[in-house]
Amino acid sequence: MSDRPDLTVALVAMNWPSYQSLALGYLSAYSLADQRLAGRVGFVTMDLNSDMDPWWVAYRVIRKEPDVVALSVMCWNARSICMACRIIKQARPDTFIIVGGPEVGPIAEEWLESRPHIDAIVRGEGEETFAELLHTRLKGGKPWRVEGVTCRREGEIYSAPDRPLIADLDSIPSPYLSGQIVARHGAAYIETYRGCPYNCAYCYEGKGYGKVRHFSPERVAADIEMVASTPGVGEFSFIDSVFNLNKEHLQRITTMLEPYAHQGKRLHTIEVDIERIGPEEAAMLKRAGVGSVETGPQTVGSGALQACSRRFDSERFRAGVEACKAEGITVECDLIVGLPNDTFGDFLDGLEFVLDVDPGIIQFSTLHVLPGTGLWEHAEELGLVYNSCPPHEIIQTPTLDFADLRRAEVLGSAVTAHYRARVDGSAPPA
Amino acid sequence: MIEYVGVPIGTGGMACCSRYPAGKEITFRPVAEIREDVRVVVKEWASGTGPNVTLVGVDPFKHPELPTLVRSVTGCGVKRLGMETDGVALCSGDNAAGIISAGVRHIEVVILAGDAYSHDRLTKIEGSFDAAMAGMASLAEVAKGLGSRIIVCGRSRICRHNFEHTPGIVCAFAEAGASTVTLEVDRAVNRGRMRPLLEAAVETGITYGVWVSIEGLTEEELGEYSRNALSPAYTTPFEEWRSS
């Protein structure tokens, strides 16, 4: 007699090394809390690295003989995920393959058009839609009737209406508290809110998830306690788009984190709006156990800042970095090459600025024109030429031609390599 | 970009083309004198990321008191410490591990051609090209083992005897893992004949992901390659830095 549930679901993510997928934890936690699914659906979670060979990803999935495979797609893993899906579908044609995530949601119909091996796409926030889709699957219903799903309806690609965002985030059980994720040292992330108060045109966060919605302070405190108390976890982080969302939020989180900081628990690489950090805020970050923060400026070019709806005040930025450094907090400054209106000169100005600010870490990357972002929507009018295949790297702009972009990439890499080669500079632990 | 102050540790011992008349006799400055210069740099460093010092004037591995010298310099509080070498000594004994452990993070290796036959002929030191390449590989391996972030760069002095090797030099450095290659062009090199070779060198660098900096030519002479006058890190001679 088999003890298999009515529906076996394999959840697959291919993360950057040292990341745990919070998304998979949310999906399984939400579905298992659904009384219609409890006891009838079983989950196998495969939290893998993005450098893993798609053939071995497919092998691991196929060996579990799942009825449904659901994969989280980001720009950096889309190619590998696609290949794994194709192999899975060919080996087990009856497997129902679902994908979701910011890479696919905004261009769901286009994705299905060219990928017959994928059965359904969950658009936008996934928890509720995914659970509904599993329920529909269990009862033999039509997936195209599920809000937020794009799939094939009698051979034609069809998008059901959008599903509203989840109003009460506490209705999503915590992956940590429900036991769906066991926190790992350095790889565990907590979310205190969704959305972003800013609307930077190159980012999906502010546009895709709309206005800021919070988890309750009680829920956040419980998550922190669970993660920080997990044996072996000395370091974790937050996935929030801006950790210092406002002073009250920062104060509240600091109060929650301070007891754990006293125990030696540390936070790494939280994203902050550095221009809103003064000595008081930096001291709060320190008390919360923050060891390093990540911030812009992304660019200092006025044309690019305007096109990306970003503000930049060099003096406030510099003051924020100094405040963090005074508290012993390492600052990572990020620059993006290839933003609209930026010239080679603007790129050099950006490099000179961050070198002068001397934050500790300088990180520089090439623009990716991501689906669903403002730049994606306005790419044509901005004259942005980008790779239509993920990860959608910029190819050229009206102000930076193909050759200059490549030159800027090489120069930027050389400068950052020079910058980090310091007497006290050690490589991060493997 | 990132400024280093070139503090002389001696004279007359850098790798150069042997077809030119022999340089000055090799001399070494005492460690105490060098340390005083470094202290000045640390004390008077005004702004930007630093203070950064590079040891110039003679191959540091020829300096009789190198371990003491490096410890003394890092002890003054410099943020970045670099040195220029022909690379030959890097694969000998514990030299690579020694300088990295002592705090040297920026190593610039000098070669004169992109292949062993031509380079050794120009330096008149048999085996020096292979030793330099092995030295660069050894540095990278040792740094990885020690968990230290270092940067290995290439430098070549381009004269009328080796300018045809320019693209090959960049290629050799790129394959040995250099992040940046600096081409120091002698004023006596024929500009017309040099230009296509410099272009090839720059483009070779880009396709390998290596930035090629060109010194010794004006922006006008560099034309569409004028951006390659930029260097991620540059060295200002100590006296010039003080007077500025």
Short mmCIF file of all heavy atoms in Angstrom, two decimals, chain A residues 303-351:
data_model
loop_
_atom_site.label_atom_id
_atom_site.label_comp_id
_atom_site.label_asym_id
_atom_site.label_seq_id
_atom_site.Cartn_x
_atom_site.Cartn_y
_atom_site.Cartn_z
N GLY A 303 20.98 62.77 -15.66
CA GLY A 303 20.03 62.27 -16.66
C GLY A 303 19.53 60.88 -16.31
O GLY A 303 18.33 60.58 -16.43
N ALA A 304 20.44 60.04 -15.87
CA ALA A 304 20.05 58.66 -15.51
C ALA A 304 19.20 58.66 -14.25
O ALA A 304 18.23 57.90 -14.15
CB ALA A 304 21.30 57.81 -15.32
N LEU A 305 19.57 59.50 -13.30
CA LEU A 305 18.79 59.56 -12.06
C LEU A 305 17.35 59.94 -12.37
O LEU A 305 16.41 59.35 -11.84
CB LEU A 305 19.42 60.58 -11.09
CG LEU A 305 20.73 60.14 -10.43
CD1 LEU A 305 21.44 61.34 -9.80
CD2 LEU A 305 20.48 59.08 -9.36
N GLN A 306 17.21 60.89 -13.28
CA GLN A 306 15.86 61.33 -13.64
C GLN A 306 15.10 60.22 -14.37
O GLN A 306 13.95 59.93 -14.04
CB GLN A 306 15.96 62.58 -14.52
CG GLN A 306 14.63 63.27 -14.67
CD GLN A 306 14.75 64.56 -15.49
OE1 GLN A 306 15.84 64.93 -15.94
NE2 GLN A 306 13.63 65.20 -15.70
N ALA A 307 15.78 59.57 -15.31
CA ALA A 307 15.11 58.51 -16.08
C ALA A 307 14.74 57.33 -15.18
O ALA A 307 13.80 56.59 -15.49
CB ALA A 307 16.04 58.04 -17.20
N CYS A 308 15.47 57.15 -14.10
CA CYS A 308 15.21 56.01 -13.21
C CYS A 308 14.38 56.41 -11.99
O CYS A 308 14.17 55.58 -11.10
CB CYS A 308 16.53 55.39 -12.76
SG CYS A 308 17.43 54.63 -14.10
N SER A 309 13.94 57.65 -11.95
CA SER A 309 13.14 58.15 -10.82
C SER A 309 13.88 57.98 -9.49
O SER A 309 13.30 57.53 -8.50
CB SER A 309 11.78 57.43 -10.73
OG SER A 309 11.13 57.45 -11.95
N ARG A 310 15.16 58.26 -9.51
CA ARG A 310 15.94 58.17 -8.28
C ARG A 310 16.42 59.55 -7.86
O ARG A 310 16.62 60.42 -8.71
CB ARG A 310 17.18 57.27 -8.50
CG ARG A 310 16.90 55.81 -8.32
CD ARG A 310 18.16 55.02 -8.49
NE ARG A 310 19.13 55.21 -7.41
CZ ARG A 310 19.10 54.55 -6.26
NH1 ARG A 310 18.16 53.67 -6.02
NH2 ARG A 310 20.02 54.75 -5.33
N ARG A 311 16.61 59.72 -6.57
CA ARG A 311 17.22 60.96 -6.11
C ARG A 311 18.61 60.64 -5.58
O ARG A 311 18.89 59.51 -5.18
CB ARG A 311 16.36 61.62 -5.01
CG ARG A 311 16.11 60.71 -3.83
CD ARG A 311 15.36 61.44 -2.73
NE ARG A 311 14.93 60.52 -1.69
CZ ARG A 311 15.74 59.96 -0.80
NH1 ARG A 311 17.05 60.18 -0.85
NH2 ARG A 311 15.28 59.14 0.12
N PHE A 312 19.47 61.64 -5.60
CA PHE A 312 20.83 61.45 -5.10
C PHE A 312 21.36 62.78 -4.61
O PHE A 312 21.40 63.75 -5.35
CB PHE A 312 21.72 60.90 -6.23
CG PHE A 312 23.20 60.92 -5.90
CD1 PHE A 312 23.70 60.12 -4.89
CD2 PHE A 312 24.07 61.73 -6.62
CE1 PHE A 312 25.06 60.14 -4.58
CE2 PHE A 312 25.43 61.75 -6.32
CZ PHE A 312 25.92 60.95 -5.30
N ASP A 313 21.73 62.79 -3.34
CA ASP A 313 22.32 63.98 -2.75
C ASP A 313 23.70 63.56 -2.25
O ASP A 313 23.82 62.82 -1.27
CB ASP A 313 21.43 64.47 -1.59
CG ASP A 313 21.98 65.72 -0.90
OD1 ASP A 313 23.23 65.83 -0.79
OD2 ASP A 313 21.18 66.57 -0.48
N SER A 314 24.73 64.03 -2.95
CA SER A 314 26.08 63.52 -2.67
C SER A 314 26.50 63.77 -1.22
O SER A 314 27.15 62.93 -0.60
CB SER A 314 27.09 64.13 -3.64
OG SER A 314 27.14 65.53 -3.48
N GLU A 315 26.09 64.91 -0.66
CA GLU A 315 26.51 65.22 0.72
C GLU A 315 25.82 64.34 1.74
O GLU A 315 26.42 63.85 2.68
CB GLU A 315 26.27 66.71 1.02
CG GLU A 315 27.25 67.63 0.30
CD GLU A 315 28.71 67.12 0.38
OE1 GLU A 315 29.19 66.86 1.49
OE2 GLU A 315 29.35 66.97 -0.68
N ARG A 316 24.51 64.13 1.53
CA ARG A 316 23.78 63.24 2.44
C ARG A 316 24.30 61.81 2.31
O ARG A 316 24.40 61.08 3.30
CB ARG A 316 22.27 63.29 2.14
CG ARG A 316 21.60 64.57 2.59
CD ARG A 316 20.17 64.61 2.09
NE ARG A 316 19.38 63.53 2.68
CZ ARG A 316 18.49 63.70 3.66
NH1 ARG A 316 18.29 64.90 4.15
NH2 ARG A 316 17.79 62.70 4.13
N PHE A 317 24.61 61.43 1.08
CA PHE A 317 25.14 60.08 0.84
C PHE A 317 26.45 59.90 1.60
O PHE A 317 26.66 58.92 2.32
CB PHE A 317 25.35 59.89 -0.66
CG PHE A 317 25.63 58.46 -1.06
CD1 PHE A 317 24.63 57.65 -1.58
CD2 PHE A 317 26.90 57.91 -0.91
CE1 PHE A 317 24.89 56.33 -1.94
CE2 PHE A 317 27.17 56.60 -1.26
CZ PHE A 317 26.16 55.81 -1.78
N ARG A 318 27.32 60.87 1.41
CA ARG A 318 28.64 60.81 2.05
C ARG A 318 28.49 60.79 3.59
O ARG A 318 29.16 60.01 4.26
CB ARG A 318 29.44 62.05 1.62
CG ARG A 318 30.91 62.01 1.93
CD ARG A 318 31.55 63.33 1.51
NE ARG A 318 31.54 63.53 0.07
CZ ARG A 318 32.46 63.06 -0.76
NH1 ARG A 318 33.48 62.37 -0.28
NH2 ARG A 318 32.39 63.27 -2.05
N ALA A 319 27.57 61.59 4.09
CA ALA A 319 27.36 61.64 5.55
C ALA A 319 26.86 60.29 6.06
O ALA A 319 27.26 59.84 7.15
CB ALA A 319 26.37 62.75 5.89
N GLY A 320 26.00 59.65 5.28
CA GLY A 320 25.47 58.34 5.67
C GLY A 320 26.56 57.30 5.73
O GLY A 320 26.63 56.50 6.68
N VAL A 321 27.44 57.32 4.74
CA VAL A 321 28.56 56.36 4.72
C VAL A 321 29.47 56.61 5.92
O VAL A 321 29.87 55.68 6.63
CB VAL A 321 29.35 56.46 3.40
CG1 VAL A 321 30.61 55.59 3.46
CG2 VAL A 321 28.48 56.05 2.21
N GLU A 322 29.75 57.88 6.18
CA GLU A 322 30.63 58.22 7.31
C GLU A 322 30.02 57.77 8.63
O GLU A 322 30.71 57.26 9.51
CB GLU A 322 30.92 59.73 7.34
CG GLU A 322 31.86 60.20 6.24
CD GLU A 322 33.19 59.44 6.21
OE1 GLU A 322 33.73 59.14 7.29
OE2 GLU A 322 33.66 59.11 5.11
N ALA A 323 28.71 57.97 8.77
CA ALA A 323 28.03 57.57 10.01
C ALA A 323 28.15 56.06 10.22
O ALA A 323 28.42 55.60 11.33
CB ALA A 323 26.57 58.00 9.97
N CYS A 324 27.97 55.30 9.16
CA CYS A 324 28.07 53.83 9.26
C CYS A 324 29.51 53.44 9.59
O CYS A 324 29.75 52.59 10.46
CB CYS A 324 27.63 53.17 7.96
SG CYS A 324 25.86 53.21 7.71
N LYS A 325 30.46 54.06 8.89
CA LYS A 325 31.87 53.71 9.12
C LYS A 325 32.26 54.03 10.57
O LYS A 325 33.02 53.28 11.20
CB LYS A 325 32.78 54.46 8.14
CG LYS A 325 32.78 53.83 6.74
CD LYS A 325 33.30 54.76 5.68
CE LYS A 325 34.77 55.05 5.76
NZ LYS A 325 35.22 55.87 4.61
N ALA A 326 31.73 55.13 11.09
CA ALA A 326 32.06 55.51 12.47
C ALA A 326 31.58 54.45 13.46
O ALA A 326 32.13 54.32 14.55
CB ALA A 326 31.43 56.86 12.80
N GLU A 327 30.56 53.69 13.07
CA GLU A 327 30.04 52.63 13.95
C GLU A 327 30.67 51.27 13.61
O GLU A 327 30.24 50.24 14.13
CB GLU A 327 28.51 52.53 13.81
CG GLU A 327 27.75 53.72 14.37
CD GLU A 327 27.78 53.78 15.90
OE1 GLU A 327 28.23 52.81 16.53
OE2 GLU A 327 27.36 54.81 16.44
N GLY A 328 31.62 51.29 12.68
CA GLY A 328 32.28 50.04 12.30
C GLY A 328 31.45 49.18 11.36
O GLY A 328 31.67 47.97 11.26
N ILE A 329 30.49 49.79 10.69
CA ILE A 329 29.64 49.05 9.75
C ILE A 329 30.22 49.18 8.35
O ILE A 329 30.45 50.30 7.87
CB ILE A 329 28.19 49.58 9.78
CG1 ILE A 329 27.59 49.38 11.18
CG2 ILE A 329 27.33 48.92 8.71
CD1 ILE A 329 26.28 50.13 11.40
N THR A 330 30.47 48.07 7.70
CA THR A 330 31.00 48.11 6.33
C THR A 330 29.88 48.51 5.37
O THR A 330 28.76 48.02 5.47
CB THR A 330 31.53 46.72 5.92
OG1 THR A 330 32.51 46.32 6.86
CG2 THR A 330 32.13 46.73 4.53
N VAL A 331 30.21 49.41 4.45
CA VAL A 331 29.22 49.86 3.46
C VAL A 331 29.62 49.32 2.09
O VAL A 331 30.79 49.39 1.71
CB VAL A 331 29.14 51.40 3.41
CG1 VAL A 331 28.07 51.85 2.41
CG2 VAL A 331 28.84 51.97 4.79
N GLU A 332 28.65 48.75 1.40
CA GLU A 332 28.89 48.32 0.02
C GLU A 332 28.16 49.28 -0.89
O GLU A 332 26.94 49.41 -0.82
CB GLU A 332 28.37 46.90 -0.18
CG GLU A 332 28.51 46.43 -1.61
CD GLU A 332 28.02 45.00 -1.83
OE1 GLU A 332 28.20 44.17 -0.92
OE2 GLU A 332 27.47 44.74 -2.91
N CYS A 333 28.90 49.98 -1.73
CA CYS A 333 28.30 50.92 -2.69
C CYS A 333 28.15 50.23 -4.04
O CYS A 333 29.11 49.66 -4.57
CB CYS A 333 29.17 52.16 -2.85
SG CYS A 333 29.00 53.33 -1.51
N ASP A 334 26.96 50.31 -4.59
CA ASP A 334 26.68 49.68 -5.88
C ASP A 334 26.58 50.72 -6.99
O ASP A 334 25.98 51.78 -6.81
CB ASP A 334 25.36 48.91 -5.82
CG ASP A 334 25.42 47.74 -4.83
OD1 ASP A 334 26.53 47.33 -4.48
OD2 ASP A 334 24.35 47.25 -4.44
N LEU A 335 27.16 50.37 -8.13
CA LEU A 335 27.03 51.19 -9.33
C LEU A 335 26.50 50.31 -10.46
O LEU A 335 26.87 49.14 -10.54
CB LEU A 335 28.40 51.74 -9.76
CG LEU A 335 29.03 52.84 -8.90
CD1 LEU A 335 30.47 53.07 -9.35
CD2 LEU A 335 28.24 54.13 -9.01
N ILE A 336 25.64 50.89 -11.29
CA ILE A 336 25.13 50.15 -12.45
C ILE A 336 25.63 50.85 -13.71
O ILE A 336 25.46 52.07 -13.84
CB ILE A 336 23.59 50.11 -12.47
CG1 ILE A 336 23.05 49.43 -11.19
CG2 ILE A 336 23.09 49.38 -13.71
CD1 ILE A 336 21.53 49.45 -11.08
N VAL A 337 26.22 50.10 -14.60
CA VAL A 337 26.65 50.69 -15.87
C VAL A 337 25.60 50.36 -16.93
O VAL A 337 25.08 49.25 -16.97
CB VAL A 337 28.06 50.18 -16.28
CG1 VAL A 337 28.09 48.69 -16.49
CG2 VAL A 337 28.55 50.89 -17.54
N GLY A 338 25.26 51.38 -17.72
CA GLY A 338 24.31 51.17 -18.82
C GLY A 338 22.94 51.73 -18.56
O GLY A 338 22.00 51.46 -19.32
N LEU A 339 22.77 52.54 -17.50
CA LEU A 339 21.47 53.16 -17.25
C LEU A 339 21.18 54.20 -18.33
O LEU A 339 22.11 54.81 -18.88
CB LEU A 339 21.45 53.81 -15.86
CG LEU A 339 21.45 52.83 -14.68
CD1 LEU A 339 21.68 53.58 -13.37
CD2 LEU A 339 20.15 52.04 -14.62
N PRO A 340 19.91 54.43 -18.64
CA PRO A 340 19.58 55.38 -19.70
C PRO A 340 20.14 56.77 -19.39
O PRO A 340 20.10 57.21 -18.24
CB PRO A 340 18.05 55.39 -19.71
CG PRO A 340 17.63 54.77 -18.42
CD PRO A 340 18.71 53.83 -18.04
N ASN A 341 20.65 57.41 -20.42
CA ASN A 341 21.22 58.78 -20.37
C ASN A 341 22.63 58.83 -19.79
O ASN A 341 23.29 59.86 -19.89
CB ASN A 341 20.33 59.77 -19.59
CG ASN A 341 18.98 59.93 -20.21
OD1 ASN A 341 18.84 59.73 -21.43
ND2 ASN A 341 17.98 60.24 -19.43
N ASP A 342 23.09 57.79 -19.13
CA ASP A 342 24.45 57.81 -18.59
C ASP A 342 25.46 57.74 -19.73
O ASP A 342 25.33 56.94 -20.65
CB ASP A 342 24.68 56.62 -17.65
CG ASP A 342 24.69 57.04 -16.19
OD1 ASP A 342 24.61 58.25 -15.92
OD2 ASP A 342 24.79 56.15 -15.32
N THR A 343 26.50 58.57 -19.62
CA THR A 343 27.59 58.55 -20.59
C THR A 343 28.80 57.86 -19.95
O THR A 343 28.77 57.57 -18.74
CB THR A 343 28.00 59.98 -20.97
OG1 THR A 343 28.45 60.62 -19.77
CG2 THR A 343 26.82 60.76 -21.55
N PHE A 344 29.83 57.67 -20.73
CA PHE A 344 31.06 57.10 -20.17
C PHE A 344 31.60 58.03 -19.08
O PHE A 344 32.09 57.58 -18.05
CB PHE A 344 32.11 56.91 -21.29
CG PHE A 344 33.19 55.92 -20.92
CD1 PHE A 344 33.04 54.57 -21.20
CD2 PHE A 344 34.35 56.34 -20.28
CE1 PHE A 344 34.03 53.65 -20.85
CE2 PHE A 344 35.34 55.43 -19.93
CZ PHE A 344 35.18 54.09 -20.22
N GLY A 345 31.45 59.33 -19.33
CA GLY A 345 31.91 60.32 -18.33
C GLY A 345 31.13 60.20 -17.03
O GLY A 345 31.70 60.29 -15.94
N ASP A 346 29.81 59.98 -17.12
CA ASP A 346 29.00 59.80 -15.90
C ASP A 346 29.46 58.57 -15.15
O ASP A 346 29.50 58.56 -13.91
CB ASP A 346 27.52 59.65 -16.26
CG ASP A 346 26.92 60.93 -16.81
OD1 ASP A 346 27.31 62.01 -16.33
OD2 ASP A 346 26.07 60.84 -17.72
N PHE A 347 29.78 57.52 -15.91
CA PHE A 347 30.25 56.29 -15.28
C PHE A 347 31.55 56.55 -14.51
O PHE A 347 31.71 56.12 -13.37
CB PHE A 347 30.44 55.22 -16.36
CG PHE A 347 31.19 54.01 -15.90
CD1 PHE A 347 30.63 53.13 -14.99
CD2 PHE A 347 32.47 53.76 -16.36
CE1 PHE A 347 31.33 52.03 -14.55
CE2 PHE A 347 33.19 52.66 -15.92
CZ PHE A 347 32.61 51.79 -15.01
N LEU A 348 32.45 57.29 -15.15
CA LEU A 348 33.72 57.62 -14.47
C LEU A 348 33.47 58.48 -13.23
O LEU A 348 34.08 58.27 -12.18
CB LEU A 348 34.66 58.36 -15.42
CG LEU A 348 35.22 57.56 -16.59
CD1 LEU A 348 36.11 58.44 -17.45
CD2 LEU A 348 35.99 56.33 -16.11
N ASP A 349 32.54 59.43 -13.36
CA ASP A 349 32.21 60.28 -12.20
C ASP A 349 31.69 59.42 -11.05
O ASP A 349 32.01 59.69 -9.88
CB ASP A 349 31.15 61.32 -12.58
CG ASP A 349 31.71 62.40 -13.50
OD1 ASP A 349 32.96 62.51 -13.60
OD2 ASP A 349 30.91 63.13 -14.12
N GLY A 350 30.89 58.43 -11.38
CA GLY A 350 30.36 57.53 -10.34
C GLY A 350 31.48 56.77 -9.65
O GLY A 350 31.50 56.66 -8.42
N LEU A 351 32.40 56.26 -10.45
CA LEU A 351 33.54 55.54 -9.88
C LEU A 351 34.36 56.45 -8.98
O LEU A 351 34.72 56.09 -7.86
CB LEU A 351 34.45 55.00 -11.00
CG LEU A 351 34.08 53.66 -11.64
CD1 LEU A 351 35.06 53.32 -12.75
CD2 LEU A 351 34.06 52.54 -10.62
#
